[in-house]
Amino acid sequence: MYDLIIKNGRIVDGTGNPAFDGDIAIKDGLVASLGSVSQPAKKTIDAEGYLVAPGWVDTHSHMDGQATWDPFCSPANHHGITTLVMGNCGIGFAPCERTDKAHQDLIEVVEDVEDIPGTALAEGIKWNWESFPEYLDALDEMPRAINVAAQVPHCAIRTYVMGDRGVNNERATPEDVERMAELVAEGIEAGGVGFTTSRTELHKTRNGLSMPGTYSEEDELFGIGKKMGEIGKGFYGMVSDFEDDAWLEEMEWVKRLSIENNCRFNFVLFYQTNEQWERVQKQLAFVRKANEDGAQLVAHVGARPVNVLMSYHGTVNPFFMHQNFGPLTVLSPEERIEKLKDPTVRAAILAEPTPAMGIEAADRMATDFHLMFELGEEPDYEQSPDQSIAAKAERAGVTPQEYAYDALLKRDGEAMIYFPFMGYDQGNLDRQFEMLKDENTVISLADTGAHCGVLSDASMPTFLLSHYARDRSRGKLTIEEAVKMHTQETARAVKLEDRGTLEVGMRADINIIDFDNLRVLAPQVIYDLPAGGKRVFQKAIGYKYTIVGGEVIMQDGVETDARPGALVRGAQPAPSSIVAA
């Protein structure tokens, strides 16, 4: 007898092959049969009229803290994510000395770089570990609904080995490099799926310092890579700015590291300005040639540009630097909105000259109204320039500041403005589509669990399927392409070959989806993190069932009591039935 049969579904199996109608039988957490299944089962789900697809694999999350207290890694569970990978951008919480100062130092880095409330991390994390293997053990002990995998983070490793020298980005000694490499190997041997580092100037701490590891020399990066090559496990991950005058030199050492150590190298790829698009195209061409030469390079790209969500309750809005707005930030949400509705307060804020902080990103948030868009109750992430705040203000005969001020008061102050401040120069997603379609990229960069006050891109898989495969008027994906992108391709990028497709012997991580009605809902600011920490939260409708290991964890957007998820320790091979085929 099977544990579960899903009947009459439209099966999109994740391989890219054409969808077909049929049944799926599940036994012991694995797909046992596909096609027409007549044998009995303990439970049956009728999926007639719905898509049946593998669960989404999220390769870029920052759930390193939240995964220690939240079994659902919310909001991942609301968007069909059944496996997520954390420890990205070189950031994580192990290894870490068992001292209050060491704990607080790592919390502050994560709070500053990833905008996760430090008070929530301080209350939520129990710190029942020091080493990375002990961190994995702590994750393993906790019952959970979805699967999680962890990468060894360079920031924590460097800080643990070098102390203040590591924090201050001093050059590592040979002894430092040897010790770091040993700890990375120890973490991967214990079940870490890879190692990640950050080389971007965007990752700054409150002291104005770049996070540990940003300026590491080649001997340090290659010392770690060599050790990974020696043990023959794990993959390398990196985020970098790829400066226009230095990107080729950086990609050359990335290629060399990958080839010399037979190591997959995942790297984040995005662009900030229209002028950098040519660099992206050259970079993708470089990757194609490098892989022909024996490298294993995978570019991780987003389905949406780098963006922030602005609101009166989040971290930023066009007036967050105004002196007359400052006192409102300490009020309750209800009190803040009442004050903002006061014509006297409105006049005072709008009368202020636009402040300039001298920090480009912050200053643009107060001035770039031609790239700001009302998100609305049915979020539209691909609006044309004539729908911008600047364009609407001009038609209304008001200033962009006046229009934005009032727009954020809609829905009783819950409204948000979408600001794609990097990579939306053309006023559409054509370039994102082009990057997604490249054979050497995978969809990524959801940052699930991070940027709590400005972002909720955990909705990326829902958006990919509903927008690119259904709603978009041009440059569309087939359903089969979209599903494959967020299942088989993402799983293979992080060496998880036991999931991502619906084939006999594969993990029964499955979404049953009402495709016609699938959509993301309007994001909102909620206060449900430990210590009342706030975050931007976005749900979806259209997921009828999300199944992990053959057990239903979500039904019509409601969590069940099932906890079939687990820590994924290391690379997972394909089942013998798939290898033989």
Side-chain angles (χ1 to χ4, degrees), residues 388-400 403:
S388 70
I389 295 293
K392 287 183 174 181
E394 184 176 3
R395 290 195 294 271
V398 297
T399 67
Y403 194 96

Side-chain angles (χ1 to χ4, degrees), residues 154-169:
H154 194 185
C155 172
I157 288 282
R158 201 171 206 270
T159 302
Y160 188 76
V161 170
M162 297 177 61
D164 289 341
R165 290 186 298 116
V167 171
N168 294 326
N169 278 302

Side-chain angles (χ1 to χ4, degrees), residues 173-220:
T173 67
E175 293 75 21
D176 293 330
V177 173
E178 182 178 2
R179 180 60 177 145
M180 282 189 273
E182 289 173 351
L183 289 175
V184 170
E186 176 187 71
I188 291 174
E189 292 280 17
V193 291
F195 163 82
T196 67
T197 188
S198 171
R199 300 180 67 76
T200 173
E201 291 283 352
L202 296 174
H203 288 165
K204 297 279 192 182
T205 68
R206 66 194 61 189
N207 300 317
L209 298 175
S210 295
M211 61 176 281
T214 302
Y215 308 113
S216 294
E217 302 286 346
E218 279 196 20
D219 59 340
E220 181 176 341

Side-chain angles (χ1 to χ4, degrees), residues 212-234:
T214 302
Y215 308 113
S216 294
E217 302 286 346
E218 279 196 20
D219 59 340
E220 181 176 341
L221 300 170
F222 273 72
I224 292 170
K226 181 180 179 183
K227 178 62 72 171
M228 294 171 65
E230 289 173 358
I231 66 174
K233 296 179 181 179

Side-chain angles (χ1 to χ4, degrees), residues 410-484:
K410 292 179 180 179
R411 303 202 330 263
D412 202 25
E414 295 293 329
M416 293 194 182
I417 288 174
Y418 171 61
F419 179 33
F421 67 103
M422 293 183 185
Y424 203 66
D425 306 71
Q426 304 300 299
N428 57 55
L429 297 178
D430 289 354
R431 289 176 173 174
Q432 300 300 133
F433 179 78
E434 184 175 337
M435 288 191 288
L436 287 168
K437 289 280 284 184
D438 190 279
E439 63 183 356
N440 293 298
T441 68
V442 296
I443 185 171
S444 187
L445 316 188
D447 273 334
T448 307
H451 306 294
C452 295
V454 296
L455 194 66
S456 188
D457 274 359
S459 62
M460 201 77 80
T462 307
F463 175 74
L464 178 76
L465 192 58
S466 62
H467 185 69
Y468 283 99
R470 188 190 66 201
D471 297 340
R472 199 165 192 255
S473 60
R474 66 182 187 283
K476 296 178 71 168
L477 301 171
T478 66
I479 295 173
E480 291 86 351
E481 285 177 317
V483 168
K484 182 183 179 183

